[in-house]
Amino acid sequence: MAAEKTLKLEKNSLHQDNLLRIENLTKIYDGSVKAVDDVSLTVAKGEIFGLLGSSGCGKSTLLRMLAGFEVPTNGKIFLAGEDITNLPPYQRPINMMFQSYALFPHLSVWDNIAFGLRRDGMAKEKIMERVESLLKLVQLGKFAKRKPHQLSGGQQQRVALARSLAKQPKLLLLDEPLGALDKKLRESTQLELVNIIEEVGVTCVLVTHDQEEAMTISSRIAVMSEGSFLQVGTPDEIYETPNSRLIADFIGNVNIFEGVVDEDLPDHVTVKCPECTHYVGHGITGSSGMSVGVAVRPEKILLSKTKPKGKYNWCEGEVTDIAYFGAHTTYHLKLMTGMILKVQQQNRTRNLEGGFTWGDRAFAQWDDLAMIVLTH
Amino acid sequence: MMIEKMHSFLKPYLTGRQFVISVPFLWLFLLTAAPIFIVLRISLSEMDIASVANLWTWAENTLTLKINLSKYLFILHDELYVKTFISSIGYALENTFFCLILGYPFAYFMARAKTHLRPMLLMLVMLPFWTSFLLRIYAWKTLLEDNGVINNFLIWSGLIHQPIQIMHTQFSLMIGMVYAYLPFMILPLYSNLVKMDTRLLEAAADLGTSPWKTFWLMTVPLSKQGIIAGSMLVFIPTVGEYVIPELLGGPQTLNIGRVLWDEFFSNNDWSMASAVAIVMVLLILLPMAIFNKYQSKSYEGITS
Amino acid sequence: MTNTFGRSWMIAVYLFLYIPIITLVVFSFNGSPLVTVWSEFTLKWYGKLAQDREIIAGVILSLKLAFLSGMLSVLFGTFTAFALVRYRFRGHTLLSSMANMPLVMPDVLVGLSLLLMLVSLQRWLGYPERGLLTILLGHAFLGTAYAAVVVVSRLREMDSKLEEAAMDLGCKPFQVFTLVTFPLIVPALVSAFLLTFTLSFDDVVLSAFLSGPGSTTLPLVIFSRARLGLSPSINAVAAVTIAVVSIAVIVSSIYQSRAEKQRMREIAQAYNDGNQ
C-alpha cells in the first residue's frame, strides 16, 4: 500500500525534467540470486548520475538492464516517459561507453564512430559531417584513419566516447570509463570527460567502483550494496551526512565511537562513549538512552601535544603508527580503551619538526560540527 | 546471404536463438546418435542376404520382438575375438604410453623455449600433421621393409649381413602408431604447459625445492589436464585403428579395426560388423566420457 | 634438466618426425624401379605420374571433395561453435558430446555407422546413392567437429562486449554477426577450412566405407597400391603433396608472424605517442 502511494505521488510530481525513471527494478539470476533488488530511481535531464559500489553489488547488472542486455525479472524502466523495459538494445535511444572500450578492432577510428550512424541509414554527407564534428570534439582529427590498436589508451577512450555520443543518445551509460587508464592519466582524462559531457549536455549514468571518480564526475550518487541502494544523494551529502555506518565506512575513512545519547536537546546533544563525551552542535532524530555511533573523519581531527580545554570532544592516546603520504600524514592513535583513532594532518611545512613520532602521547580534538551521529 | 534467407523463411516458427541451436543439433544428431542406433539395431537383427529383418513385427494383436543376440554370444565365446579385443586395448595403451614418454619432455622443452622460437617449433610439429597420414605411414614401409632403406643401410655399413625383419612385427606396428599419433599428444600438452604460470615454479624453487622435485611436484600435476586430453586423443582412436595395422602390422597382429573391416568387406556380414562395432563403442565409452568432460570445459560459454 | 638434454630430445623427436618424410621425397628421384635401392637421379616417375589416369582422376575428385567438405564443415562447425559458446540451453552437454565424438571415434566406427545409416536412409527414401555425396556427408561430419574446435577457441577469446557494443549502436542480431563477429573470426574460419580440407583430402577409411563405383579418391588409390607393396608412383605423389603443403604452411606462418610483429610495433608506437 505504502509503495503504491509513493508511486502515485511520484507520478503526479513527474515533471518534464525527469528523463529516466526506474520503478522497482529487480533482476534474479538462476531463480534465487538477487543481483538487483527492488530498485527505484529518477534521473533528471542533464544529470550525471553515479552508481557506486564494490564488485558484485549489482551496479553492472543495473546498467546492463538500462542498456537492454539483461531483461529485468521485475519492474519497469521509463525513458522520457516511455516504457522501454522490453525494448531490445538496438531500439533504445541509449548508448554505452563500454568498460575497456570495446572498440571494433577491424574498423578505423572513423568507421568506429560512424558505425551507429550507418545503422540508422543516415545520408552519407550527414554522416561525414557528424563524424568530423565528433573527431573535433575529442581532438582526434588526425587519427581518423588509424585502427584502435594504433592508439594509446587515452586516445582509445576518446574514440569510445565519440562513438557512444555519435547517435545523440538521450541517455549515455558509462561503464568504468576511466578504469583502463593508469593513475596519472586518469585525472586529466576525468576533467576532459566531464567537459565533453557538459558541452554535449547529455544525461549520464555512470558505473564505478572508484569513489573518488564517482565523487568528482557525478552530480548525484547512489551507493549500492547487495543489489539495493544504501543511500542516494549529492557527493557532499553522502560524504558529510552518511545515513548509516556502512556508508560512512564505505566512503572515505572514518572513526566510529560507540556510545549512548545522554542529553537530547533541539540545538545539541551529548553522547557518552568510553573514550570521551561528544558534544554535537545540532539536534538528532533520537532520544536519550539510545545507542548510537559517532563518526568523525580523520581529516577533521586536530592533533596537539597540549591538553585541550573543556570536557568535550577530545581524547588522549599514544602514537602507534605513522604513514607519510606527502601532502598529508596519517597517524594511528591508540586510545585508553584500545580503540585506534585515525588522524590525518596536513603537512604544512616541509620538515616535520614539531610533529609526532612513535610512542608520543598526543591529544586529539575536533569541532562541535565535525561529527555525524549514526543511528543505523 | 543464404543463411539469412534460410532463417527468414523459418522466422515464423523459430527465433534466432532456436535456429542457431537447432541447426547443429539436427546435423550432429543425424550423423552421430542416429547412426549408432542403427548399428545397434542391425547388430541385433537377423540378416537375410542383403536386407535386415525387422526387429519387431505386429501381427494378430501381438507385438513380437525379435532380438538376435547370436552375434554377441559368438563374440563372447570365440577365443579369437576376445583375444583381439584385449590385444587392441593393449596396443592402444602401449601407444599412449610411448607417445606420452616421447611427447611430454618434448612439449615441456618446447613450452620453455624462447618465445620467438616457439611458433616455428610448433609449425614444425604441425607440418607432418598437414601432410597426408597415409603417405607418412607408407614412408615407414619404405624404411622398414626387408630390402628397405634401413636394412640396406645396415648391410652397406657392414653391421649385418642378412636383412633383419622389422616390417610386419609388433615393432613396426608400434613405430607407425607412435609416429602417427605423437602430434596429438604433443599439441594439448604444449598448449597446457605454455600457459602454466612459471612464477609457481619459481616460488617452489625459491622455497628450496630441487628442479627435479619441482618438476614432479608442480609441473606434472599442473599439466594433468593436458596429459588427460593428449592421452585420450591417442588412446581412443588407436583402439579401432585400421590403416596402420593393415600397412605395417603383421598377419598375426590382432586388431578390432581390421576384424570389423574384414567382417564388413570380406565376409559381408553386416550384423557381425555391427556387433563388433558396438563392443568397440562399449570399450571406449569410459575414455570418451573422460575426454568429453575435459573438452566440455573448454566449451563452456562466456555469456549466460 | 639441462639445456643440452632438452635440445637433443627435441632434435631426436624432430628427426623421428621428418626422416620418413625426407626419405619418401629423396627416393621419388630414384631411377631404380626397386623403390628403396638407390641407382641414379631421375625425374621419370613424375613424368609417369602425369600420365597416370587413375591418380589424376583421384586428385581431381579429392580436391573437389575436400573443397566442398571444407565449406560444409566450416558452415556447420560455426553454427555448432556459436550454439556452444554463446548460448546456454538444455541439451548443451549433449550437443558438446556429439561435437566431440568425431574427434576421437575410431574411423572404422564412424565409417560403418554412417554407411549403415545412409543405407537405411536410401532404402527408405531411395536416396542417396553411395558415391561422392555420401563421402562428402561423412567428411563434412568429421570436419564439423574439427571446425567447431577452431571456431570455439576463437569465439571464446573474442570479447563478447564487441557484440554488445554493436547491438548498442543499433545492430540487429544478424547484423551483429555480419558486421562484427564474422570479420573478427575470419582468420579462424580460414584455418578451420584448411584443416577440414586436409582431413578430407587425407581420409581413407571413411571414403572406403562410403564410396561407390566411380568415386575412387586419391587416398583410396594410394591405399590400394600401398597394400600391394612399394611403388615409385606413390613416392612421386608424396613428394608433390609434401611440397605443396610445406610451401603453403611456411608461407602462411611467415605471413602471420610478420603481421603479428607489425601489430606489436604499432601498439608500442601508439603507447609511446600517447605518453608524449
Side-chain angles (χ1 to χ4, degrees):
Chain A
M1 280 307 280
E4 226 167 83
K5 228 179 217 170
T6 49
L7 217 145
K8 255 186 202 153
L9 264 175
E10 230 176 50
K11 266 187 187 156
N12 291 338
S13 66
L14 176 76
H15 46 93
Q16 289 283 307
D17 285 339
N18 274 348
L19 180 79
L20 174 71
R21 197 168 83 247
I22 297 171
E23 283 173 9
N24 309 94
L25 210 60
T26 301
K27 176 74 189 177
I28 299 172
Y29 284 117
D30 300 329
S32 60
V33 185
K34 279 192 179 172
V36 172
D37 188 4
D38 196 20
V39 160
S40 297
L41 174 76
T42 53
V43 176
K45 205 168 177 182
E47 243 190 312
I48 302 180
F49 190 87
L51 289 170
L52 177 62
S54 44
S55 67
C57 72
K59 59 186 193 304
S60 298
T61 311
L62 181 53
L63 197 76
R64 290 173 60 78
M65 285 196 280
L66 292 178
F69 300 132
E70 304 275 353
V71 182
T73 316
N74 235 324
K76 292 218 170 304
I77 305 169
F78 294 92
L79 190 71
E82 196 190 333
D83 184 352
I84 60 160
T85 318
N86 295 314
L87 276 187
Y90 47 88
Q91 286 174 359
R92 296 187 183 201
I94 296 177
N95 286 120
M96 176 139 146
M97 186 178 141
F98 285 81
Q99 187 174 15
S100 55
Y101 321 132
L103 296 176
F104 304 125
H106 58 301
L107 299 180
S108 66
V109 168
W110 209 96
D111 289 327
N112 260 285
I113 298 174
F115 191 90
L117 301 172
R118 288 195 174 129
R119 302 289 82 73
D120 281 0
M122 198 187 242
K124 261 201 176 143
E125 309 82 68
K126 276 267 178 69
I127 293 180
M128 283 272 262
E129 221 171 89
R130 179 91 186 115
V131 174
E132 292 301 332
S133 81
L134 282 159
L135 281 169
K136 215 174 186 181
L137 181 73
V138 296
Q139 298 166 4
L140 282 173
K142 46 179 188 168
F143 297 101
K145 283 193 184 132
R146 291 214 186 168
K147 293 277 176 72
H149 73 268
Q150 296 167 311
L151 301 176
S152 71
Q155 290 163 343
Q156 290 181 15
Q157 195 253 11
R158 271 144 49 199
V159 178
L161 181 63
R163 187 180 71 176
S164 58
L165 287 173
K167 296 178 80 172
Q168 293 174 297
K170 287 186 181 153
L171 180 66
L172 178 66
L173 306 176
L174 303 160
D175 190 0
E176 304 275 3
L178 305 170
L181 298 174
D182 47 40
K183 208 175 170 187
K184 201 143 189 209
L185 203 58
R186 219 179 278 184
E187 258 174 62
S188 60
T189 314
Q190 197 167 300
L191 270 173
E192 204 178 73
L193 181 70
V194 175
N195 285 340
I196 291 175
I197 289 172
E198 277 173 358
E199 196 178 323
V200 176
V202 65
T203 313
C204 293
V205 173
L206 158 106
V207 151
T208 178
H209 69 279
D210 182 329
Q211 33 168 304
E212 227 171 278
E213 191 176 305
M215 298 266 216
T216 41
I217 300 181
S218 325
S219 54
R220 244 170 6 119
I221 296 176
V223 183
M224 269 189 97
S225 173
E226 292 175 7
S228 357
F229 290 163
L230 295 178
Q231 189 173 1
V232 182
T234 61
D236 60 302
E237 271 168 11
I238 286 186
Y239 189 77
E240 303 295 357
T241 52
N243 62 6
S244 67
R245 279 168 229 248
L246 217 59
I247 296 272
D249 209 31
F250 181 73
I251 308 283
N253 252 315
V254 77
N255 299 294
I256 298 179
F257 295 89
E258 300 296 337
V260 175
V261 178
D262 189 21
E263 285 177 290
D264 179 24
L265 298 166
D267 69 324
H268 78 269
V269 286
T270 56
V271 180
K272 261 206 170 127
C273 301
E275 292 81 12
C276 64
T277 306
H278 297 270
Y279 180 97
V280 185
H282 54 77
I284 61 160
T285 51
S287 54
S288 60
M290 185 181 180
S291 296
V292 293
V294 178
V296 191
R297 300 259 183 217
E299 75 276 8
K300 296 191 164 63
I301 302 177
L302 192 70
L303 216 53
S304 64
K305 286 183 172 169
T306 51
K307 192 171 176 172
K309 288 170 204 147
K311 54 177 181 172
Y312 299 120
N313 297 353
W314 64 268
C315 53
E316 187 187 357
E318 182 193 335
V319 176
T320 55
D321 229 330
I322 303 173
Y324 178 70
F325 286 95
H328 66 260
T329 302
T330 298
Y331 297 92
H332 281 189
L333 210 61
K334 192 173 181 182
L335 307 183
M336 282 166 325
T337 55
M339 173 176 169
I340 301 288
L341 190 73
K342 285 165 277 181
V343 181
Q344 197 180 343
Q345 301 288 287
Q346 290 297 316
N347 295 325
R348 290 196 178 78
T349 54
R350 267 174 48 210
N351 46 7
L352 298 172
E353 244 173 73
F356 297 85
T357 183
W358 288 269
D360 279 358
R361 304 298 303 172
F363 296 93
Q365 57 180 312
W366 52 93
D367 201 81
D368 293 356
L369 297 173
M371 296 149 287
I372 319 126
V373 178
L374 300 166
T375 49
H376 294 287
Chain B
M1 263 182 74
M2 202 181 73
I3 304 171
E4 196 170 24
K5 262 189 207 151
M6 244 158 79
H7 180 225
S8 65
F9 174 70
L10 291 165
K11 218 163 201 168
Y13 316 103
L14 282 175
T15 65
R17 181 191 138 96
Q18 283 166 333
F19 179 69
V20 171
I21 294 170
S22 55
V23 166
F25 212 95
L26 283 176
W27 169 253
L28 288 172
F29 186 81
L30 194 69
L31 297 171
T32 42
I36 294 280
F37 283 121
I38 288 169
V39 170
L40 183 65
R41 185 186 172 286
I42 290 177
S43 76
L44 294 170
S45 314
E46 304 217 26
M47 277 286 292
D48 303 336
I49 318 287
S51 75
V52 183
N54 277 335
L55 262 188
W56 57 78
T57 43
W58 176 255
E60 291 163 19
N61 295 333
T62 14
L63 176 71
T64 325
L65 200 62
K66 234 188 193 171
I67 292 181
N68 183 354
L69 289 172
S70 64
K71 303 292 176 188
Y72 290 95
L73 292 174
F74 186 76
I75 289 175
L76 280 178
H77 288 118
D78 187 273
E79 208 186 334
L80 199 63
Y81 273 106
V82 176
K83 264 193 188 158
T84 306
F85 284 114
I86 293 173
S87 82
S88 294
I89 297 276
Y91 290 138
L93 284 174
E94 276 175 54
N95 185 22
T96 313
F97 175 76
F98 287 126
C99 283
L100 190 60
I101 292 291
L102 219 59
Y104 195 98
F106 184 85
Y108 178 84
F109 295 125
M110 190 156 81
R112 299 285 169 270
K114 293 195 180 79
T115 325
H116 67 276
L117 284 177
R118 280 185 219 150
M120 198 191 69
L121 295 174
L122 190 65
M123 188 201 80
L124 284 174
V125 175
M126 289 297 286
L127 194 66
F129 179 82
W130 288 98
T131 47
S132 167
F133 159 78
L134 186 60
L135 291 172
R136 282 181 292 133
I137 296 304
Y138 169 80
W140 280 103
K141 228 173 140 102
T142 61
L143 284 167
L144 302 175
E145 286 275 351
D146 279 0
N147 66 346
V149 177
I150 290 178
N151 267 318
N152 287 350
F153 176 79
L154 290 176
I155 291 173
W156 171 81
S157 67
L159 280 170
I160 53 170
H161 300 289
Q162 289 288 316
I164 40 175
Q165 196 192 351
I166 321 174
M167 195 57 190
H168 303 303
T169 61
Q170 310 289 353
F171 179 71
S172 61
L173 173 69
M174 207 35 76
I175 278 213
M177 295 252 216
V178 172
Y179 181 72
Y181 284 97
L182 189 59
F184 290 97
M185 180 63 91
I186 291 176
L187 294 178
L189 279 175
Y190 169 75
S191 70
N192 185 296
L193 286 166
V194 84
K195 272 185 274 173
M196 192 178 287
D197 189 351
T198 48
R199 285 173 308 171
L200 288 175
L201 310 181
E202 282 161 12
D206 185 58
L207 295 169
T209 324
S210 71
W212 187 241
K213 258 196 164 165
T214 308
F215 177 76
W216 283 109
L217 293 176
M218 303 291 293
T219 312
V220 172
L222 283 173
S223 57
K224 201 179 97 194
Q225 295 288 335
I227 295 176
I228 292 174
S231 301
M232 294 304 133
L233 276 173
V234 174
F235 178 82
I236 305 171
T238 24
V239 171
E241 179 58 48
Y242 168 74
V243 173
I244 303 171
E246 180 66 18
L247 290 182
L248 298 179
Q252 79 284 12
T253 309
L254 297 172
N255 170 279
I256 321 179
R258 279 171 99 183
V259 167
L260 193 152
W261 183 284
D262 290 342
E263 290 294 354
F264 187 82
F265 286 102
S266 313
N267 300 349
N268 247 322
D269 189 342
W270 291 15
S271 316
M272 196 60 189
S274 299
V276 172
I278 292 295
V279 176
M280 201 197 296
V281 168
L282 292 177
L283 286 180
I284 59 176
L285 214 54
L286 180 69
M288 281 274 249
I290 297 172
F291 176 73
N292 231 344
K293 203 178 138 199
Y294 166 83
Q295 193 72 10
S296 298
K297 260 185 210 155
S298 63
Y299 279 164
E300 258 151 42
I302 310 161
T303 49
S304 53
Chain C
M1 296 206 192
T2 55
N3 233 337
T4 22
F5 176 68
R7 223 170 266 166
S8 11
W9 192 279
M10 290 188 79
I11 290 170
V13 170
Y14 278 127
L15 283 178
F16 175 60
L17 289 177
Y18 280 92
I19 282 179
I21 298 177
I22 293 165
T23 325
L24 212 54
V25 176
V26 168
F27 280 89
S28 73
F29 299 111
N30 181 11
S32 160
L34 289 170
V35 176
T36 52
V37 184
W38 182 263
S39 60
E40 79 235 303
F41 180 86
T42 180
L43 288 173
K44 69 175 172 189
W45 305 120
Y46 291 90
K48 285 208 169 153
L49 194 64
Q51 285 154 10
D52 194 326
R53 287 234 183 107
E54 202 187 6
I55 284 193
I56 289 172
V59 168
I60 292 172
L61 185 70
S62 283
L63 283 176
K64 249 194 248 171
L65 196 62
F67 178 79
L68 292 174
S69 150
M71 294 305 252
L72 278 181
S73 304
V74 171
L75 178 68
F76 286 107
T78 309
F79 264 109
T80 312
F82 252 83
L84 287 174
V85 176
R86 291 283 185 259
Y87 299 115
R88 276 211 189 144
F89 52 95
R90 258 179 295 149
H92 189 276
T93 326
L94 180 62
L95 185 63
S96 85
S97 326
M98 290 196 303
N100 290 335
M101 258 162 86
L103 296 178
V104 287
M105 270 240 276
D107 292 344
V108 284
L109 262 182
V110 180
L112 178 76
S113 58
L114 280 179
L115 174 70
L116 293 183
M117 191 205 57
L118 290 169
V119 167
S120 313
L121 209 63
Q122 202 223 345
R123 284 211 179 123
W124 189 35
L125 298 172
Y127 190 82
E129 286 293 328
R130 263 160 91 177
L132 192 60
L133 182 66
T134 49
I135 304 182
L136 177 62
L137 272 177
H139 287 183
F141 163 61
L142 193 66
T144 299
Y146 282 87
V149 171
V150 176
V151 180
V152 159
S153 73
R154 177 72 191 108
L155 279 180
R156 284 178 57 86
E157 72 189 36
M158 196 183 116
D159 189 355
S160 61
K161 282 208 180 73
L162 292 171
E163 291 173 341
E164 288 183 351
M167 221 187 284
D168 185 68
L169 292 165
C171 281
K172 289 181 189 116
F174 192 74
Q175 281 179 316
V176 174
F177 180 78
T178 52
L179 293 172
V180 174
T181 319
F182 182 74
L184 291 176
I185 62 169
V186 160
L189 298 184
V190 171
S191 37
F193 175 78
L194 291 176
L195 179 65
T196 50
F197 182 95
T198 316
L199 278 175
S200 162
F201 196 76
D202 254 16
D203 170 75
V204 195
V205 176
L206 286 190
S207 308
F209 275 100
L210 300 169
S211 72
S215 54
T216 315
T217 63
L218 179 65
L220 287 178
V221 177
I222 296 174
F223 186 57
S224 63
R225 290 192 192 179
R227 261 168 143 181
L228 297 174
L230 303 177
S231 140
S233 66
I234 303 183
N235 284 55
V237 172
V240 173
T241 322
I242 290 164
V244 170
V245 170
S246 310
I247 290 169
V249 171
I250 290 168
V251 166
S252 84
S253 72
I254 288 175
Y255 173 77
Q256 259 175 27
S257 86
R258 282 241 176 105
E260 184 56 26
K261 267 184 200 150
Q262 170 76 17
R263 215 180 111 82
M264 284 302 163
R265 258 203 306 278
E266 284 173 358
I267 290 173
Q269 178 72 34
Y271 184 79
N272 291 333
D273 287 354
N275 283 354
Q276 269 163 21

